[in-house]
Amino acid sequence: MTGGEVAGILVAVFWAILVSFLAVVLVRLAQTLRATTKLVADVTEQAVPLLADASATVRSAQTQLDRVDAIATDVQEVTSNASALSTTVASTFGGPLVKVAAFGYGVRRAMSRKGDDLPTAPSRRPVIVGRTVPAARRKKRKG
């Protein structure tokens, strides 16, 4: 065998090994692509119902929020109406009630003074020269 034939055989063996290696790599790549395709299909199969459920939940939450907003608006309106009503009641009945109370107080006071027309005894005790003030009264005057 000549040197050229040996070199040709070596090149052929090299190409055979290279082609075998590339074939193994391509087979593995094909398996990986099949597995990835199956995984994407499974995720899509599971994600679509989940997205539909999430969409329904969001719609339901929006409906509930709309209801809460309507209730809050109604409560605000009722509060303002109650405030206006209390202001009206206070202005309508407040003045006359104060006048009635003052009149009642005046009548009671006049009735209690009816018996006071008689002269009363002096409320102070007369001061006697040379007499000392009791101890209890002395402390009061100092404080």
Side-chain angles (χ1 to χ4, degrees), residues 53-72:
D53 289 346
S55 177
T57 302
V58 167
R59 271 188 251 115
S60 174
Q62 182 62 38
T63 303
Q64 295 300 324
L65 285 174
D66 290 342
R67 288 180 184 168
V68 168
D69 188 38
I71 290 170

Side-chain angles (χ1 to χ4, degrees), residues 43-131:
V43 166
T44 303
E45 185 179 308
Q46 292 176 2
V48 170
L50 286 175
L51 289 174
D53 289 346
S55 177
T57 302
V58 167
R59 271 188 251 115
S60 174
Q62 182 62 38
T63 303
Q64 295 300 324
L65 285 174
D66 290 342
R67 288 180 184 168
V68 168
D69 188 38
I71 290 170
T73 303
D74 291 344
V75 167
Q76 185 178 9
E77 186 177 333
V78 167
T79 303
S80 66
N81 289 343
S83 175
L85 179 64
S86 68
T87 303
T88 302
V89 168
S91 66
T92 303
F93 296 112
L97 283 177
V98 168
K99 290 178 184 176
V100 167
F103 178 75
Y105 176 74
V107 168
R108 274 184 290 160
R109 193 130 167 168
M111 295 298 283
S112 67
R113 285 193 180 173
K114 236 181 188 183
D116 290 347
D117 292 344
L118 302 173
T120 59
S123 61
R124 291 183 158 204
R125 297 188 342 197
V127 177
I128 302 171
V129 179
R131 191 165 175 196

